[in-house]
Amino acid sequence: MNKSIENDLKSILTNAKSDFFSLKNSRIFITGGTGFIGTWILESLNYANRELDLNILVTVLSRNPKAFLAKNPHFKNNLHINFIKGSILNLKEVNEEYTHLIHAATDASAELNENNPRKMFDTVVYGTQNALDFAVKKNISRVLFLSSGAIYGQQPWEMEHISEEWTGSLDCTNPMNTYAEAKRAAEMLCSIYEKQYGLNISIARIFALLGPFLPIDTHFAAGNFIKDAIEGKPIIVKGNGLPCRSYLYASDLTIWLWRMLVRAESGKIYNVGSDESISIGDLARRTSETLGDGQYTILNKEDKGWNLGRYVPDTSMIKMELNVSRLVSLDEAIYKTAYWNGWRGE
């Protein structure tokens, strides 16, 4: 285990201890277990297993477990975590039985959305169908599907926080909405399987995140700003800086997901994210103030991003019904993400 996230793992254990005890001796199958969110799930589970002697056994489906284990050697020869190589699109026969399924496998990238939306759509939709068929076949008692806040489409500017009841505003004929439409279709599949097969399933609509293991060199502003600060470069906002986002830290996310897996009612959908709205311009300022000299530049160029308005969830329902809260502030999330990526405040 990397020492720089040990305090985060302690926080997860403290706040999700009863959920972990509910999973004692369970058998969990995880798809997408080597991505950003999947890594946090594995790290927290490994820590809880060791600290609480839970005997939770996990099987992780991964397209490249060898590469993951090379980066995370502490998972090698782990008696509680087994990796199998494969794709959710052609899931091979698995002999073991399981009590829980976390379906996190997805294909989400700006490059795919632009150049191969068909691959993205197939992975999300048919991958979810395969995962649900697997859950039915194995008679799995509880399923958690990781969806996305993208399913809402363009959040109206006057709507400061978007709730689970809002039906969305997607244009289903625009290929740029492939990822969002695929997640909507996958959610429909979850509802169908709950009704037709009695599958106990809950859905997490996840919004923007920060934390260790998150790639900071992709197309997301928060990661780009942190990367620039780490490299001593000026933080630059190419657009006008007006679009609003919010960022949930990874340890809080992990607590919320374990709570959902154990306690969420079947068919329940929750927004999972921070409700603290911040404009991209203010995010640049906050990042520079936290990691650098407070200097940033807004270029006011034409913004061609996927969402030029708000992307901020209403999380009152999950907080009230599952008794979770946001424990890590935005400034601390920026700091922790930068520290993980090598920043030491020079």
Side-chain angles (χ1 to χ4, degrees):
M1 178 188 68
N2 191 296
K3 291 295 182 181
S4 66
I5 66 167
E6 187 167 2
N7 287 336
D8 291 327
L9 295 177
K10 288 180 179 178
S11 174
I12 294 169
L13 184 63
T14 298
N15 290 280
K17 183 176 288 187
S18 62
D19 304 310
F20 283 124
F21 273 124
S22 297
L23 292 166
K24 186 177 178 65
N25 297 319
S26 63
R27 304 294 182 265
I28 304 175
F29 191 89
I30 302 176
T31 74
T34 56
F36 165 62
I37 296 176
T39 300
W40 275 96
I41 290 172
L42 291 183
E43 290 283 7
S44 60
L45 183 61
N46 188 47
Y47 187 77
N49 254 340
R50 185 174 67 249
E51 295 296 312
L52 303 178
D53 191 26
L54 298 173
N55 191 38
I56 301 171
L57 300 184
V58 178
T59 297
V60 181
L61 177 68
S62 170
R63 286 175 291 191
N64 194 347
K66 185 176 180 180
F68 178 79
L69 291 171
K71 293 181 181 179
N72 302 274
H74 57 287
F75 285 119
K76 290 182 178 180
N77 304 314
N78 189 306
L79 298 179
H80 292 94
I81 301 176
N82 175 51
F83 293 84
I84 59 174
K85 184 176 181 179
S87 168
I88 192 61
L89 288 176
N90 51 16
L91 183 59
K92 297 179 181 179
E93 185 66 29
V94 180
N95 294 324
E96 289 79 6
E97 299 300 314
Y98 299 95
T99 57
H100 297 74
L101 167 67
I102 300 175
H103 178 42
T106 192
D107 250 332
S109 72
E111 191 277 331
L112 272 181
N113 213 45
E114 180 67 26
N115 300 311
N116 197 349
R118 168 68 187 275
K119 179 182 178 183
M120 178 184 290
F121 191 87
D122 287 352
T123 301
V124 174
V125 177
Y126 298 122
T128 298
Q129 184 172 352
N130 287 345
L132 297 175
D133 284 337
F134 179 83
V136 171
K137 181 178 180 180
K138 295 294 183 179
N139 197 29
I140 289 176
S141 61
R142 296 188 71 93
V143 178
L144 175 61
F145 172 56
L146 305 194
S147 186
S148 169
I151 66 101
Y152 295 113
Q154 294 293 313
Q155 180 176 342
W157 186 256
E158 64 275 12
M159 184 184 292
E160 293 187 3
H161 299 87
I162 198 161
S163 72
E164 292 87 348
E165 287 76 23
W166 198 64
T167 54
S169 65
L170 281 170
D171 176 3
C172 64
T173 65
N174 183 354
M176 289 301 294
N177 293 327
T178 295
Y179 178 73
E181 287 289 356
K183 284 293 189 181
R184 284 172 70 99
E187 288 193 12
M188 176 59 76
L189 280 171
C190 291
S191 299
I192 290 170
Y193 275 68
E194 187 209 19
K195 176 182 178 181
Q196 190 164 337
Y197 300 103
L199 202 60
N200 187 319
I201 184 166
S202 57
I203 297 172
R205 288 179 179 161
I206 300 174
F207 284 71
L209 307 167
L210 278 174
F213 310 119
L214 181 72
I216 60 173
D217 57 354
T218 56
H219 58 287
F220 297 113
N224 295 162
F225 295 164
I226 291 171
K227 182 175 184 293
D228 287 343
I230 290 172
E231 296 176 352
K233 298 177 181 178
I235 293 179
I236 297 175
V237 180
K238 294 180 180 178
N240 59 22
L242 296 179
C244 291
R245 303 289 184 265
S246 64
Y247 298 90
L248 186 69
Y249 186 67
S251 61
D252 289 337
L253 163 76
T254 307
I255 294 166
W256 292 23
L257 293 181
W258 284 121
R259 185 68 49 83
M260 282 192 65
L261 179 66
V262 171
R263 303 191 195 181
E265 294 180 5
S266 183
K268 199 72 181 185
I269 298 173
Y270 290 115
N271 286 337
V272 174
S274 168
D275 58 4
E276 179 188 352
S277 177
I278 184 169
S279 71
I280 296 299
D282 280 342
L283 177 65
R285 175 185 58 80
R286 291 272 285 273
T287 303
S288 185
E289 289 176 349
T290 302
L291 306 179
D293 59 5
Q295 299 299 309
Y296 66 99
T297 301
I298 297 178
L299 299 181
N300 275 303
K301 291 184 177 180
E302 182 183 2
D303 196 335
K304 298 181 180 178
W306 72 274
N307 188 334
L308 305 183
R310 297 187 188 276
Y311 187 58
V312 183
D314 178 348
T315 56
S316 58
M317 187 160 65
I318 189 171
K319 290 176 179 177
M320 179 180 63
E321 295 183 1
L322 295 187
N323 192 29
V324 295
S325 61
R326 187 166 63 95
L327 304 174
V328 179
S329 70
L330 176 59
D331 290 342
E332 189 178 1
I334 292 170
Y335 178 92
K336 285 172 172 281
T337 305
Y339 190 87
W340 167 266
N341 284 282
W343 178 81
R344 295 297 181 267
E346 293 86 352

